[in-house]
Amino acid sequence: MPLFLLVFGVCVLLFGSVLAILMLTRTPRYRTEPSHLLDLFGKALDENLSEGEWNAIINYPIRHDDFLDGVRRRARHIMDEHGRFGRMSRGKPLLDKTGGEELSALRDHLRAHTRLREQREKR
């Protein structure tokens, strides 16, 4: 009987500690920053981007910054309108000429907005 109580106590302690750890820890969060989008747009314009990398960032909603989420949605729309996945494997650019120009303009707009935000935070 004492062996049973010892094993039972150890199991309760083990399961209780695992349950406590699971209840107290949070799930990891990915926070998209402007630099992530700028890097992604640069890779897309330089044709050094994979479909998986694009989808991992662009299809993930940005809830902490409405402006960044608007930029993300606009980039997704540009890809839907002017992009063709699978073109990279055939040696063609990811975006057509119009899409490249629009993505470049979006990148420049995001870069300027980020600089203005950083200047305001320094004051």
Side-chain angles (χ1 to χ4, degrees):
M1 186 68 161
L3 181 61
F4 171 75
L5 292 175
L6 178 66
V7 171
F8 182 73
V10 169
C11 289
V12 167
L13 182 66
L14 182 67
F15 287 130
S17 62
V18 169
L19 183 64
I21 289 171
L22 290 175
M23 295 294 286
L24 296 175
T25 58
R26 294 179 18 189
T27 57
R29 304 268 190 254
Y30 177 74
R31 188 176 172 116
T32 304
E33 297 295 332
S35 61
H36 296 133
L37 291 177
L38 289 171
D39 292 341
L40 183 76
F41 296 163
K43 286 181 180 180
L45 292 171
D46 293 339
E47 301 172 14
N48 293 328
L49 184 69
S50 68
E51 183 178 354
E53 188 176 0
W54 176 267
N55 288 333
I57 295 177
I58 293 300
N59 289 334
Y60 191 83
I62 302 171
R63 293 189 173 97
H64 67 278
D65 191 339
D66 290 335
F67 176 77
L68 281 181
D69 194 51
V71 169
R72 178 196 66 83
R73 284 181 288 154
R74 179 67 184 138
R76 192 166 134 193
H77 178 71
I78 290 171
M79 184 60 72
D80 290 343
E81 293 291 317
H82 302 285
R84 300 285 183 264
F85 288 115
R87 291 178 71 174
M88 295 286 288
S89 63
R90 295 186 305 246
K92 295 181 181 178
L94 186 63
L95 294 166
D96 61 11
K97 184 178 177 183
T98 307
E101 291 169 357
E102 288 183 23
L103 190 63
S104 178
L106 185 63
R107 180 184 61 177
D108 295 341
H109 178 69
L110 177 59
R111 187 177 292 139
H113 183 269
T114 304
R115 282 187 198 139
L116 284 174
R117 184 181 283 181
E118 288 172 355
Q119 288 175 356
R120 286 184 201 146
E121 289 175 359
K122 287 181 183 179
R123 291 181 189 176

